[in-house]
PDB file of all heavy atoms in Angstrom:
ATOM      1  N   ASN Q  78       7.537  -4.644 -23.757  1.00 98.00           N
ATOM      2  CA  ASN Q  78       6.066  -4.701 -23.921  1.00 98.00           C
ATOM      3  C   ASN Q  78       5.372  -4.447 -22.598  1.00 98.00           C
ATOM      4  O   ASN Q  78       4.382  -3.715 -22.515  1.00 98.00           O
ATOM      5  CB  ASN Q  78       5.661  -6.100 -24.408  1.00 98.00           C
ATOM      6  CG  ASN Q  78       5.296  -6.098 -25.857  1.00 98.00           C
ATOM      7  OD1 ASN Q  78       5.238  -5.047 -26.498  1.00 98.00           O
ATOM      8  ND2 ASN Q  78       5.057  -7.285 -26.383  1.00 98.00           N
ATOM      9  N   TRP Q  79       5.879  -5.087 -21.553  1.00 98.00           N
ATOM     10  CA  TRP Q  79       5.317  -4.948 -20.199  1.00 98.00           C
ATOM     11  C   TRP Q  79       5.428  -3.490 -19.726  1.00 98.00           C
ATOM     12  O   TRP Q  79       4.505  -2.944 -19.131  1.00 98.00           O
ATOM     13  CB  TRP Q  79       6.094  -5.911 -19.293  1.00 98.00           C
ATOM     14  CG  TRP Q  79       5.718  -5.953 -17.846  1.00 98.00           C
ATOM     15  CD1 TRP Q  79       4.610  -6.558 -17.278  1.00 98.00           C
ATOM     16  CD2 TRP Q  79       6.462  -5.394 -16.744  1.00 98.00           C
ATOM     17  NE1 TRP Q  79       4.650  -6.420 -15.916  1.00 98.00           N
ATOM     18  CE2 TRP Q  79       5.765  -5.705 -15.557  1.00 98.00           C
ATOM     19  CE3 TRP Q  79       7.653  -4.668 -16.655  1.00 98.00           C
ATOM     20  CZ2 TRP Q  79       6.220  -5.319 -14.288  1.00 98.00           C
ATOM     21  CZ3 TRP Q  79       8.107  -4.289 -15.393  1.00 98.00           C
ATOM     22  CH2 TRP Q  79       7.395  -4.607 -14.234  1.00 98.00           C
ATOM     23  N   LEU Q  80       6.544  -2.851 -20.033  1.00 98.00           N
ATOM     24  CA  LEU Q  80       6.737  -1.449 -19.627  1.00 98.00           C
ATOM     25  C   LEU Q  80       5.827  -0.516 -20.414  1.00 98.00           C
ATOM     26  O   LEU Q  80       5.289   0.454 -19.900  1.00 98.00           O
ATOM     27  CB  LEU Q  80       8.199  -1.034 -19.820  1.00 98.00           C
ATOM     28  CG  LEU Q  80       9.191  -1.635 -18.815  1.00 98.00           C
ATOM     29  CD1 LEU Q  80      10.628  -1.358 -19.260  1.00 98.00           C
ATOM     30  CD2 LEU Q  80       8.961  -1.091 -17.413  1.00 98.00           C
ATOM     31  N   ARG Q  81       5.648  -0.822 -21.685  1.00 98.00           N
ATOM     32  CA  ARG Q  81       4.791   0.014 -22.539  1.00 98.00           C
ATOM     33  C   ARG Q  81       3.373   0.038 -21.972  1.00 98.00           C
ATOM     34  O   ARG Q  81       2.716   1.065 -21.957  1.00 98.00           O
ATOM     35  CB  ARG Q  81       4.811  -0.541 -23.957  1.00 98.00           C
ATOM     36  CG  ARG Q  81       4.648   0.528 -25.021  1.00 98.00           C
ATOM     37  CD  ARG Q  81       4.632  -0.039 -26.421  1.00 98.00           C
ATOM     38  NE  ARG Q  81       5.921   0.016 -27.074  1.00 98.00           N
ATOM     39  CZ  ARG Q  81       6.579  -1.030 -27.563  1.00 98.00           C
ATOM     40  NH1 ARG Q  81       6.054  -2.250 -27.464  1.00 98.00           N
ATOM     41  NH2 ARG Q  81       7.726  -0.879 -28.155  1.00 98.00           N
ATOM     42  N   LYS Q  82       2.916  -1.131 -21.492  1.00 97.00           N
ATOM     43  CA  LYS Q  82       1.560  -1.205 -20.901  1.00 97.00           C
ATOM     44  C   LYS Q  82       1.448  -0.358 -19.646  1.00 97.00           C
ATOM     45  O   LYS Q  82       0.355  -0.020 -19.212  1.00 97.00           O
ATOM     46  CB  LYS Q  82       1.218  -2.674 -20.581  1.00 97.00           C
ATOM     47  CG  LYS Q  82       0.898  -3.489 -21.815  1.00 97.00           C
ATOM     48  CD  LYS Q  82       0.502  -4.916 -21.429  1.00 97.00           C
ATOM     49  CE  LYS Q  82       0.569  -5.829 -22.637  1.00 97.00           C
ATOM     50  NZ  LYS Q  82       0.988  -7.199 -22.284  1.00 97.00           N
ATOM     51  N   GLN Q  83       2.594  -0.036 -19.021  1.00 97.00           N
ATOM     52  CA  GLN Q  83       2.564   0.809 -17.807  1.00 97.00           C
ATOM     53  C   GLN Q  83       2.811   2.268 -18.161  1.00 97.00           C
ATOM     54  O   GLN Q  83       3.092   3.087 -17.293  1.00 97.00           O
ATOM     55  CB  GLN Q  83       3.639   0.346 -16.835  1.00 97.00           C
ATOM     56  CG  GLN Q  83       3.390  -1.061 -16.306  1.00 97.00           C
ATOM     57  CD  GLN Q  83       4.585  -1.547 -15.497  1.00 97.00           C
ATOM     58  OE1 GLN Q  83       4.915  -0.964 -14.474  1.00 97.00           O
ATOM     59  NE2 GLN Q  83       5.224  -2.586 -15.962  1.00 97.00           N
ATOM     60  N   GLY Q  84       2.774   2.579 -19.446  1.00 97.00           N
ATOM     61  CA  GLY Q  84       2.895   3.972 -19.868  1.00 97.00           C
ATOM     62  C   GLY Q  84       4.303   4.442 -20.133  1.00 97.00           C
ATOM     63  O   GLY Q  84       4.547   5.657 -20.235  1.00 97.00           O
ATOM     64  N   VAL Q  85       5.260   3.536 -20.240  1.00 98.00           N
ATOM     65  CA  VAL Q  85       6.635   3.935 -20.576  1.00 98.00           C
ATOM     66  C   VAL Q  85       6.706   4.060 -22.103  1.00 98.00           C
ATOM     67  O   VAL Q  85       6.524   3.072 -22.819  1.00 98.00           O
ATOM     68  CB  VAL Q  85       7.678   2.933 -20.057  1.00 98.00           C
ATOM     69  CG1 VAL Q  85       9.093   3.349 -20.483  1.00 98.00           C
ATOM     70  CG2 VAL Q  85       7.581   2.808 -18.539  1.00 98.00           C
ATOM     71  N   ALA Q  86       6.936   5.270 -22.576  1.00 95.00           N
ATOM     72  CA  ALA Q  86       6.819   5.526 -24.012  1.00 95.00           C
ATOM     73  C   ALA Q  86       8.075   5.155 -24.798  1.00 95.00           C
ATOM     74  O   ALA Q  86       8.011   4.642 -25.910  1.00 95.00           O
ATOM     75  CB  ALA Q  86       6.480   6.990 -24.230  1.00 95.00           C
ATOM     76  N   SER Q  87       9.236   5.446 -24.221  1.00 98.00           N
ATOM     77  CA  SER Q  87      10.472   5.312 -24.977  1.00 98.00           C
ATOM     78  C   SER Q  87      11.169   3.994 -24.653  1.00 98.00           C
ATOM     79  O   SER Q  87      11.887   3.894 -23.659  1.00 98.00           O
ATOM     80  CB  SER Q  87      11.382   6.506 -24.671  1.00 98.00           C
ATOM     81  OG  SER Q  87      12.581   6.391 -25.393  1.00 98.00           O
ATOM     82  N   VAL Q  88      10.911   2.986 -25.452  1.00 98.00           N
ATOM     83  CA  VAL Q  88      11.519   1.675 -25.214  1.00 98.00           C
ATOM     84  C   VAL Q  88      12.123   1.143 -26.508  1.00 98.00           C
ATOM     85  O   VAL Q  88      11.687   1.507 -27.599  1.00 98.00           O
ATOM     86  CB  VAL Q  88      10.493   0.634 -24.677  1.00 98.00           C
ATOM     87  CG1 VAL Q  88       9.966   1.051 -23.321  1.00 98.00           C
ATOM     88  CG2 VAL Q  88       9.362   0.430 -25.667  1.00 98.00           C
ATOM     89  N   MET Q  89      13.127   0.294 -26.364  1.00 98.00           N
ATOM     90  CA  MET Q  89      13.680  -0.405 -27.500  1.00 98.00           C
ATOM     91  C   MET Q  89      13.747  -1.886 -27.149  1.00 98.00           C
ATOM     92  O   MET Q  89      14.548  -2.289 -26.313  1.00 98.00           O
ATOM     93  CB  MET Q  89      15.076   0.145 -27.833  1.00 98.00           C
ATOM     94  CG  MET Q  89      15.775  -0.568 -28.990  1.00 98.00           C
ATOM     95  SD  MET Q  89      14.815  -0.674 -30.514  1.00 98.00           S
ATOM     96  CE  MET Q  89      14.649   1.059 -30.948  1.00 98.00           C
ATOM     97  N   GLY Q  90      12.858  -2.661 -27.745  1.00 98.00           N
ATOM     98  CA  GLY Q  90      12.834  -4.104 -27.499  1.00 98.00           C
ATOM     99  C   GLY Q  90      13.923  -4.779 -28.314  1.00 98.00           C
ATOM    100  O   GLY Q  90      14.097  -4.503 -29.493  1.00 98.00           O
ATOM    101  N   MET Q  91      14.668  -5.651 -27.643  1.00 98.00           N
ATOM    102  CA  MET Q  91      15.791  -6.327 -28.306  1.00 98.00           C
ATOM    103  C   MET Q  91      15.630  -7.840 -28.114  1.00 98.00           C
ATOM    104  O   MET Q  91      14.702  -8.297 -27.483  1.00 98.00           O
ATOM    105  CB  MET Q  91      17.123  -5.891 -27.681  1.00 98.00           C
ATOM    106  CG  MET Q  91      17.346  -4.395 -27.687  1.00 98.00           C
ATOM    107  SD  MET Q  91      18.886  -3.945 -26.849  1.00 98.00           S
ATOM    108  CE  MET Q  91      20.123  -4.648 -27.962  1.00 98.00           C
ATOM    109  N   ASN Q  92      16.553  -8.582 -28.657  1.00 98.00           N
ATOM    110  CA  ASN Q  92      16.656  -9.989 -28.287  1.00 98.00           C
ATOM    111  C   ASN Q  92      18.113 -10.423 -28.331  1.00 98.00           C
ATOM    112  O   ASN Q  92      18.969  -9.661 -28.790  1.00 98.00           O
ATOM    113  CB  ASN Q  92      15.752 -10.880 -29.173  1.00 98.00           C
ATOM    114  CG  ASN Q  92      15.126 -12.015 -28.365  1.00 98.00           C
ATOM    115  OD1 ASN Q  92      15.791 -12.596 -27.494  1.00 98.00           O
ATOM    116  ND2 ASN Q  92      13.873 -12.308 -28.623  1.00 98.00           N
ATOM    117  N   LEU Q  93      18.380 -11.611 -27.832  1.00 98.00           N
ATOM    118  CA  LEU Q  93      19.765 -12.068 -27.651  1.00 98.00           C
ATOM    119  C   LEU Q  93      20.555 -11.992 -28.939  1.00 98.00           C
ATOM    120  O   LEU Q  93      20.082 -12.410 -30.001  1.00 98.00           O
ATOM    121  CB  LEU Q  93      19.778 -13.498 -27.124  1.00 98.00           C
ATOM    122  CG  LEU Q  93      19.121 -13.721 -25.769  1.00 98.00           C
ATOM    123  CD1 LEU Q  93      19.241 -15.189 -25.374  1.00 98.00           C
ATOM    124  CD2 LEU Q  93      19.704 -12.828 -24.698  1.00 98.00           C
ATOM    125  N   GLY Q  94      21.770 -11.479 -28.843  1.00 98.00           N
ATOM    126  CA  GLY Q  94      22.643 -11.394 -29.995  1.00 98.00           C
ATOM    127  C   GLY Q  94      22.531 -10.106 -30.766  1.00 98.00           C
ATOM    128  O   GLY Q  94      23.370  -9.819 -31.617  1.00 98.00           O
ATOM    129  N   GLY Q  95      21.496  -9.337 -30.455  1.00 98.00           N
ATOM    130  CA  GLY Q  95      21.260  -8.106 -31.197  1.00 98.00           C
ATOM    131  C   GLY Q  95      21.985  -6.917 -30.577  1.00 98.00           C
ATOM    132  O   GLY Q  95      22.195  -6.869 -29.370  1.00 98.00           O
ATOM    133  N   THR Q  96      22.351  -5.972 -31.447  1.00 98.00           N
ATOM    134  CA  THR Q  96      23.023  -4.750 -30.994  1.00 98.00           C
ATOM    135  C   THR Q  96      22.163  -3.557 -31.361  1.00 98.00           C
ATOM    136  O   THR Q  96      21.576  -3.501 -32.448  1.00 98.00           O
ATOM    137  CB  THR Q  96      24.404  -4.622 -31.686  1.00 98.00           C
ATOM    138  OG1 THR Q  96      25.220  -5.722 -31.284  1.00 98.00           O
ATOM    139  CG2 THR Q  96      25.115  -3.322 -31.287  1.00 98.00           C
ATOM    140  N   PHE Q  97      22.072  -2.602 -30.440  1.00 98.00           N
ATOM    141  CA  PHE Q  97      21.379  -1.341 -30.721  1.00 98.00           C
ATOM    142  C   PHE Q  97      22.371  -0.209 -30.521  1.00 98.00           C
ATOM    143  O   PHE Q  97      23.106  -0.170 -29.539  1.00 98.00           O
ATOM    144  CB  PHE Q  97      20.185  -1.156 -29.780  1.00 98.00           C
ATOM    145  CG  PHE Q  97      19.453   0.147 -29.979  1.00 98.00           C
ATOM    146  CD1 PHE Q  97      18.797   0.407 -31.177  1.00 98.00           C
ATOM    147  CD2 PHE Q  97      19.426   1.093 -28.974  1.00 98.00           C
ATOM    148  CE1 PHE Q  97      18.123   1.617 -31.366  1.00 98.00           C
ATOM    149  CE2 PHE Q  97      18.748   2.307 -29.158  1.00 98.00           C
ATOM    150  CZ  PHE Q  97      18.095   2.564 -30.359  1.00 98.00           C
ATOM    151  N   ARG Q  98      22.443   0.697 -31.486  1.00 98.00           N
ATOM    152  CA  ARG Q  98      23.364   1.808 -31.392  1.00 98.00           C
ATOM    153  C   ARG Q  98      22.682   3.009 -30.747  1.00 98.00           C
ATOM    154  O   ARG Q  98      21.779   3.588 -31.323  1.00 98.00           O
ATOM    155  CB  ARG Q  98      23.914   2.159 -32.786  1.00 98.00           C
ATOM    156  CG  ARG Q  98      25.093   1.279 -33.102  1.00 98.00           C
ATOM    157  CD  ARG Q  98      25.551   1.230 -34.529  1.00 98.00           C
ATOM    158  NE  ARG Q  98      25.915  -0.155 -34.848  1.00 98.00           N
ATOM    159  CZ  ARG Q  98      26.947  -0.797 -34.311  1.00 98.00           C
ATOM    160  NH1 ARG Q  98      27.741  -0.190 -33.444  1.00 98.00           N
ATOM    161  NH2 ARG Q  98      27.186  -2.046 -34.617  1.00 98.00           N
ATOM    162  N   THR Q  99      23.131   3.342 -29.565  1.00 98.00           N
ATOM    163  CA  THR Q  99      22.573   4.476 -28.823  1.00 98.00           C
ATOM    164  C   THR Q  99      23.463   5.695 -29.075  1.00 98.00           C
ATOM    165  O   THR Q  99      24.479   5.593 -29.756  1.00 98.00           O
ATOM    166  CB  THR Q  99      22.606   4.196 -27.305  1.00 98.00           C
ATOM    167  OG1 THR Q  99      23.977   4.163 -26.904  1.00 98.00           O
ATOM    168  CG2 THR Q  99      21.955   2.868 -26.969  1.00 98.00           C
TER     169      THR Q  99
END
Side-chain angles (χ1 to χ4, degrees):
N78 255 354
W79 179 77
L80 288 170
R81 212 182 263 123
K82 286 182 196 146
Q83 296 172 63
V85 178
S87 180
V88 296
M89 178 53 64
M91 304 177 67
N92 217 321
L93 299 181
T96 297
F97 178 64
R98 275 165 219 293
T99 67

